[in-house]
mmCIF file of all heavy atoms in Angstrom:
data_model
loop_
_atom_site.group_PDB
_atom_site.id
_atom_site.type_symbol
_atom_site.label_atom_id
_atom_site.label_comp_id
_atom_site.label_asym_id
_atom_site.label_seq_id
_atom_site.Cartn_x
_atom_site.Cartn_y
_atom_site.Cartn_z
ATOM 1 N N PRO A 77 -85.744 0.697 49.837
ATOM 2 C CA PRO A 77 -86.612 -0.399 50.289
ATOM 3 C C PRO A 77 -85.879 -1.682 50.656
ATOM 4 O O PRO A 77 -86.408 -2.495 51.419
ATOM 5 C CB PRO A 77 -87.530 -0.630 49.091
ATOM 6 C CG PRO A 77 -86.713 -0.191 47.920
ATOM 7 C CD PRO A 77 -85.905 0.972 48.419
ATOM 8 N N ASP A 78 -84.684 -1.880 50.134
ATOM 9 C CA ASP A 78 -83.971 -3.140 50.341
ATOM 10 C C ASP A 78 -82.744 -2.998 51.223
ATOM 11 O O ASP A 78 -81.928 -3.913 51.313
ATOM 12 C CB ASP A 78 -83.541 -3.724 48.979
ATOM 13 C CG ASP A 78 -84.727 -3.912 48.047
ATOM 14 O OD1 ASP A 78 -85.806 -4.303 48.524
ATOM 15 O OD2 ASP A 78 -84.567 -3.643 46.841
ATOM 16 N N ALA A 79 -82.593 -1.875 51.876
ATOM 17 C CA ALA A 79 -81.399 -1.622 52.679
ATOM 18 C C ALA A 79 -81.790 -1.083 54.058
ATOM 19 O O ALA A 79 -82.926 -0.673 54.276
ATOM 20 C CB ALA A 79 -80.504 -0.610 51.969
ATOM 21 N N PHE A 80 -80.830 -1.105 54.933
ATOM 22 C CA PHE A 80 -80.958 -0.480 56.250
ATOM 23 C C PHE A 80 -82.141 -1.005 57.055
ATOM 24 O O PHE A 80 -82.865 -0.234 57.698
ATOM 25 C CB PHE A 80 -81.039 1.048 56.125
ATOM 26 C CG PHE A 80 -79.968 1.643 55.277
ATOM 27 C CD1 PHE A 80 -80.280 2.340 54.120
ATOM 28 C CD2 PHE A 80 -78.628 1.484 55.604
ATOM 29 C CE1 PHE A 80 -79.284 2.891 53.320
ATOM 30 C CE2 PHE A 80 -77.627 2.027 54.804
ATOM 31 C CZ PHE A 80 -77.951 2.734 53.663
ATOM 32 N N THR A 81 -82.360 -2.307 57.027
ATOM 33 C CA THR A 81 -83.456 -2.861 57.827
ATOM 34 C C THR A 81 -83.206 -2.626 59.315
ATOM 35 O O THR A 81 -84.148 -2.417 60.064
ATOM 36 C CB THR A 81 -83.658 -4.359 57.535
ATOM 37 O OG1 THR A 81 -82.415 -5.029 57.705
ATOM 38 C CG2 THR A 81 -84.180 -4.574 56.127
ATOM 39 N N ALA A 82 -81.953 -2.630 59.731
ATOM 40 C CA ALA A 82 -81.613 -2.311 61.121
ATOM 41 C C ALA A 82 -81.486 -0.791 61.258
ATOM 42 O O ALA A 82 -80.761 -0.146 60.497
ATOM 43 C CB ALA A 82 -80.312 -2.995 61.527
ATOM 44 N N PHE A 83 -82.197 -0.244 62.223
ATOM 45 C CA PHE A 83 -82.196 1.200 62.425
ATOM 46 C C PHE A 83 -80.785 1.724 62.705
ATOM 47 O O PHE A 83 -80.408 2.799 62.228
ATOM 48 C CB PHE A 83 -83.160 1.564 63.559
ATOM 49 C CG PHE A 83 -83.289 3.036 63.808
ATOM 50 C CD1 PHE A 83 -83.640 3.912 62.783
ATOM 51 C CD2 PHE A 83 -83.084 3.552 65.075
ATOM 52 C CE1 PHE A 83 -83.764 5.278 63.011
ATOM 53 C CE2 PHE A 83 -83.208 4.912 65.316
ATOM 54 C CZ PHE A 83 -83.547 5.778 64.287
ATOM 55 N N ALA A 84 -79.980 0.968 63.437
ATOM 56 C CA ALA A 84 -78.598 1.397 63.733
ATOM 57 C C ALA A 84 -77.785 1.541 62.452
ATOM 58 O O ALA A 84 -76.993 2.491 62.315
ATOM 59 C CB ALA A 84 -77.930 0.419 64.687
ATOM 60 N N ASP A 85 -77.972 0.629 61.500
ATOM 61 C CA ASP A 85 -77.270 0.733 60.216
ATOM 62 C C ASP A 85 -77.716 1.986 59.463
ATOM 63 O O ASP A 85 -76.911 2.670 58.831
ATOM 64 C CB ASP A 85 -77.531 -0.506 59.351
ATOM 65 C CG ASP A 85 -76.898 -1.759 59.929
ATOM 66 O OD1 ASP A 85 -75.991 -1.648 60.778
ATOM 67 O OD2 ASP A 85 -77.338 -2.858 59.529
ATOM 68 N N TYR A 86 -79.003 2.271 59.531
ATOM 69 C CA TYR A 86 -79.541 3.468 58.886
ATOM 70 C C TYR A 86 -78.905 4.720 59.500
ATOM 71 O O TYR A 86 -78.510 5.645 58.783
ATOM 72 C CB TYR A 86 -81.063 3.493 59.025
ATOM 73 C CG TYR A 86 -81.670 4.790 58.572
ATOM 74 C CD1 TYR A 86 -81.898 5.038 57.223
ATOM 75 C CD2 TYR A 86 -82.005 5.778 59.484
ATOM 76 C CE1 TYR A 86 -82.438 6.241 56.797
ATOM 77 C CE2 TYR A 86 -82.545 6.973 59.074
ATOM 78 C CZ TYR A 86 -82.759 7.201 57.725
ATOM 79 O OH TYR A 86 -83.294 8.399 57.315
ATOM 80 N N LEU A 87 -78.819 4.761 60.825
ATOM 81 C CA LEU A 87 -78.214 5.928 61.480
ATOM 82 C C LEU A 87 -76.751 6.103 61.091
ATOM 83 O O LEU A 87 -76.286 7.231 60.919
ATOM 84 C CB LEU A 87 -78.353 5.819 63.004
ATOM 85 C CG LEU A 87 -79.768 5.986 63.552
ATOM 86 C CD1 LEU A 87 -79.767 5.804 65.068
ATOM 87 C CD2 LEU A 87 -80.379 7.329 63.166
ATOM 88 N N ASP A 88 -76.040 4.984 60.931
ATOM 89 C CA ASP A 88 -74.652 5.063 60.461
ATOM 90 C C ASP A 88 -74.600 5.684 59.069
ATOM 91 O O ASP A 88 -73.761 6.543 58.787
ATOM 92 C CB ASP A 88 -74.003 3.678 60.436
ATOM 93 C CG ASP A 88 -73.736 3.124 61.831
ATOM 94 O OD1 ASP A 88 -73.744 3.899 62.810
ATOM 95 O OD2 ASP A 88 -73.528 1.890 61.930
ATOM 96 N N TYR A 89 -75.498 5.247 58.189
ATOM 97 C CA TYR A 89 -75.553 5.801 56.834
ATOM 98 C C TYR A 89 -75.913 7.288 56.878
ATOM 99 O O TYR A 89 -75.304 8.101 56.172
ATOM 100 C CB TYR A 89 -76.557 5.028 55.980
ATOM 101 C CG TYR A 89 -76.808 5.673 54.643
ATOM 102 C CD1 TYR A 89 -75.781 5.806 53.709
ATOM 103 C CD2 TYR A 89 -78.064 6.177 54.318
ATOM 104 C CE1 TYR A 89 -75.996 6.425 52.484
ATOM 105 C CE2 TYR A 89 -78.290 6.785 53.096
ATOM 106 C CZ TYR A 89 -77.254 6.914 52.187
ATOM 107 O OH TYR A 89 -77.467 7.533 50.985
ATOM 108 N N LEU A 90 -76.881 7.650 57.689
ATOM 109 C CA LEU A 90 -77.284 9.053 57.817
ATOM 110 C C LEU A 90 -76.093 9.917 58.223
ATOM 111 O O LEU A 90 -75.872 10.990 57.648
ATOM 112 C CB LEU A 90 -78.419 9.180 58.838
ATOM 113 C CG LEU A 90 -78.856 10.591 59.197
ATOM 114 C CD1 LEU A 90 -79.441 11.324 57.991
ATOM 115 C CD2 LEU A 90 -79.881 10.535 60.338
ATOM 116 N N ASP A 91 -75.310 9.445 59.167
ATOM 117 C CA ASP A 91 -74.132 10.190 59.615
ATOM 118 C C ASP A 91 -73.143 10.394 58.464
ATOM 119 O O ASP A 91 -72.641 11.494 58.243
ATOM 120 C CB ASP A 91 -73.462 9.450 60.778
ATOM 121 C CG ASP A 91 -72.266 10.198 61.327
ATOM 122 O OD1 ASP A 91 -72.419 11.377 61.724
ATOM 123 O OD2 ASP A 91 -71.163 9.607 61.353
ATOM 124 N N ILE A 92 -72.885 9.334 57.711
ATOM 125 C CA ILE A 92 -71.976 9.424 56.556
ATOM 126 C C ILE A 92 -72.548 10.383 55.509
ATOM 127 O O ILE A 92 -71.824 11.213 54.944
ATOM 128 C CB ILE A 92 -71.729 8.028 55.955
ATOM 129 C CG1 ILE A 92 -70.977 7.151 56.945
ATOM 130 C CG2 ILE A 92 -70.971 8.128 54.631
ATOM 131 C CD1 ILE A 92 -70.967 5.670 56.586
ATOM 132 N N ALA A 93 -73.847 10.285 55.247
ATOM 133 C CA ALA A 93 -74.491 11.142 54.244
ATOM 134 C C ALA A 93 -74.410 12.611 54.643
ATOM 135 O O ALA A 93 -74.138 13.475 53.802
ATOM 136 C CB ALA A 93 -75.946 10.706 54.059
ATOM 137 N N GLU A 94 -74.639 12.901 55.911
ATOM 138 C CA GLU A 94 -74.556 14.294 56.373
ATOM 139 C C GLU A 94 -73.137 14.836 56.233
ATOM 140 O O GLU A 94 -72.941 15.982 55.813
ATOM 141 C CB GLU A 94 -75.046 14.400 57.817
ATOM 142 C CG GLU A 94 -76.556 14.241 57.911
ATOM 143 C CD GLU A 94 -77.087 14.249 59.332
ATOM 144 O OE1 GLU A 94 -76.352 13.861 60.273
ATOM 145 O OE2 GLU A 94 -78.263 14.618 59.493
ATOM 146 N N ARG A 95 -72.143 14.009 56.560
ATOM 147 C CA ARG A 95 -70.742 14.441 56.406
ATOM 148 C C ARG A 95 -70.409 14.657 54.933
ATOM 149 O O ARG A 95 -69.683 15.600 54.587
ATOM 150 C CB ARG A 95 -69.795 13.432 57.049
ATOM 151 C CG ARG A 95 -69.786 13.565 58.575
ATOM 152 C CD ARG A 95 -68.725 12.713 59.245
ATOM 153 N NE ARG A 95 -69.258 11.347 59.350
ATOM 154 C CZ ARG A 95 -68.586 10.255 59.057
ATOM 155 N NH1 ARG A 95 -67.340 10.314 58.648
ATOM 156 N NH2 ARG A 95 -69.138 9.069 59.187
ATOM 157 N N LEU A 96 -70.942 13.805 54.062
ATOM 158 C CA LEU A 96 -70.691 13.952 52.630
ATOM 159 C C LEU A 96 -71.260 15.274 52.112
ATOM 160 O O LEU A 96 -70.609 15.962 51.316
ATOM 161 C CB LEU A 96 -71.297 12.782 51.853
ATOM 162 C CG LEU A 96 -71.109 12.840 50.333
ATOM 163 C CD1 LEU A 96 -69.632 12.772 49.953
ATOM 164 C CD2 LEU A 96 -71.902 11.729 49.666
ATOM 165 N N LEU A 97 -72.455 15.636 52.553
ATOM 166 C CA LEU A 97 -73.034 16.918 52.114
ATOM 167 C C LEU A 97 -72.118 18.081 52.503
ATOM 168 O O LEU A 97 -71.915 19.004 51.706
ATOM 169 C CB LEU A 97 -74.429 17.118 52.694
ATOM 170 C CG LEU A 97 -75.541 16.243 52.132
ATOM 171 C CD1 LEU A 97 -76.878 16.616 52.759
ATOM 172 C CD2 LEU A 97 -75.624 16.333 50.610
ATOM 173 N N ILE A 98 -71.565 18.018 53.691
ATOM 174 C CA ILE A 98 -70.637 19.072 54.124
ATOM 175 C C ILE A 98 -69.385 19.068 53.250
ATOM 176 O O ILE A 98 -68.967 20.114 52.743
ATOM 177 C CB ILE A 98 -70.279 18.884 55.618
ATOM 178 C CG1 ILE A 98 -71.515 19.126 56.487
ATOM 179 C CG2 ILE A 98 -69.133 19.811 56.023
ATOM 180 C CD1 ILE A 98 -71.368 18.678 57.929
ATOM 181 N N GLU A 99 -68.810 17.888 53.044
ATOM 182 C CA GLU A 99 -67.591 17.767 52.232
ATOM 183 C C GLU A 99 -67.792 18.248 50.802
ATOM 184 O O GLU A 99 -66.867 18.788 50.189
ATOM 185 C CB GLU A 99 -67.117 16.308 52.200
ATOM 186 C CG GLU A 99 -66.574 15.794 53.498
ATOM 187 C CD GLU A 99 -66.362 14.284 53.489
ATOM 188 O OE1 GLU A 99 -66.439 13.646 52.411
ATOM 189 O OE2 GLU A 99 -66.115 13.722 54.579
ATOM 190 N N GLN A 100 -68.994 18.064 50.278
ATOM 191 C CA GLN A 100 -69.277 18.440 48.892
ATOM 192 C C GLN A 100 -69.765 19.893 48.764
ATOM 193 O O GLN A 100 -70.177 20.310 47.686
ATOM 194 C CB GLN A 100 -70.315 17.491 48.292
ATOM 195 C CG GLN A 100 -69.819 16.064 48.157
ATOM 196 C CD GLN A 100 -68.663 15.961 47.181
ATOM 197 O OE1 GLN A 100 -68.718 16.463 46.065
ATOM 198 N NE2 GLN A 100 -67.593 15.308 47.605
ATOM 199 N N GLY A 101 -69.737 20.637 49.864
ATOM 200 C CA GLY A 101 -70.103 22.051 49.819
ATOM 201 C C GLY A 101 -71.597 22.322 49.874
ATOM 202 O O GLY A 101 -72.043 23.420 49.536
ATOM 203 N N TYR A 102 -72.362 21.351 50.324
ATOM 204 C CA TYR A 102 -73.821 21.526 50.381
ATOM 205 C C TYR A 102 -74.338 21.935 51.757
ATOM 206 O O TYR A 102 -75.536 22.081 51.946
ATOM 207 C CB TYR A 102 -74.529 20.255 49.913
ATOM 208 C CG TYR A 102 -74.473 20.079 48.408
ATOM 209 C CD1 TYR A 102 -73.763 19.038 47.841
ATOM 210 C CD2 TYR A 102 -75.131 20.972 47.569
ATOM 211 C CE1 TYR A 102 -73.704 18.878 46.460
ATOM 212 C CE2 TYR A 102 -75.079 20.824 46.200
ATOM 213 C CZ TYR A 102 -74.361 19.779 45.646
ATOM 214 O OH TYR A 102 -74.317 19.635 44.283
ATOM 215 N N GLU A 103 -73.452 22.140 52.716
ATOM 216 C CA GLU A 103 -73.885 22.606 54.031
ATOM 217 C C GLU A 103 -74.530 23.982 53.886
ATOM 218 O O GLU A 103 -73.998 24.866 53.215
ATOM 219 C CB GLU A 103 -72.701 22.680 54.987
ATOM 220 C CG GLU A 103 -73.095 23.062 56.389
ATOM 221 C CD GLU A 103 -71.917 23.039 57.358
ATOM 222 O OE1 GLU A 103 -70.761 23.209 56.914
ATOM 223 O OE2 GLU A 103 -72.161 22.847 58.550
ATOM 224 N N GLY A 104 -75.698 24.145 54.472
ATOM 225 C CA GLY A 104 -76.425 25.407 54.371
ATOM 226 C C GLY A 104 -77.254 25.523 53.107
ATOM 227 O O GLY A 104 -78.031 26.468 52.953
ATOM 228 N N ILE A 105 -77.101 24.588 52.195
ATOM 229 C CA ILE A 105 -77.879 24.584 50.952
ATOM 230 C C ILE A 105 -78.978 23.527 51.032
ATOM 231 O O ILE A 105 -80.138 23.802 50.746
ATOM 232 C CB ILE A 105 -76.970 24.351 49.734
ATOM 233 C CG1 ILE A 105 -75.950 25.491 49.641
ATOM 234 C CG2 ILE A 105 -77.799 24.249 48.452
ATOM 235 C CD1 ILE A 105 -74.854 25.265 48.630
ATOM 236 N N TYR A 106 -78.585 22.316 51.432
ATOM 237 C CA TYR A 106 -79.539 21.217 51.586
ATOM 238 C C TYR A 106 -79.404 20.626 52.983
ATOM 239 O O TYR A 106 -78.337 20.659 53.587
ATOM 240 C CB TYR A 106 -79.314 20.120 50.540
ATOM 241 C CG TYR A 106 -79.443 20.643 49.139
ATOM 242 C CD1 TYR A 106 -78.382 20.560 48.244
ATOM 243 C CD2 TYR A 106 -80.612 21.249 48.709
ATOM 244 C CE1 TYR A 106 -78.484 21.061 46.964
ATOM 245 C CE2 TYR A 106 -80.718 21.768 47.429
ATOM 246 C CZ TYR A 106 -79.656 21.667 46.556
ATOM 247 O OH TYR A 106 -79.758 22.178 45.295
ATOM 248 N N GLN A 107 -80.508 20.075 53.440
ATOM 249 C CA GLN A 107 -80.568 19.463 54.758
ATOM 250 C C GLN A 107 -81.216 18.092 54.609
ATOM 251 O O GLN A 107 -82.070 17.901 53.741
ATOM 252 C CB GLN A 107 -81.418 20.356 55.668
ATOM 253 C CG GLN A 107 -81.547 19.904 57.076
ATOM 254 C CD GLN A 107 -82.417 20.881 57.860
ATOM 255 O OE1 GLN A 107 -83.469 20.494 58.329
ATOM 256 N NE2 GLN A 107 -82.004 22.132 57.977
#
Side-chain angles (χ1 to χ4, degrees):
D78 304 322
F80 310 118
T81 53
F83 183 55
D85 292 342
Y86 171 81
L87 290 178
D88 289 343
Y89 172 63
L90 174 64
D91 182 56
I92 294 167
E94 288 176 332
R95 283 188 279 135
L96 179 63
L97 289 183
I98 293 167
E99 290 169 11
Q100 294 296 311
Y102 285 114
E103 184 176 26
I105 299 170
Y106 301 120
Q107 182 180 117

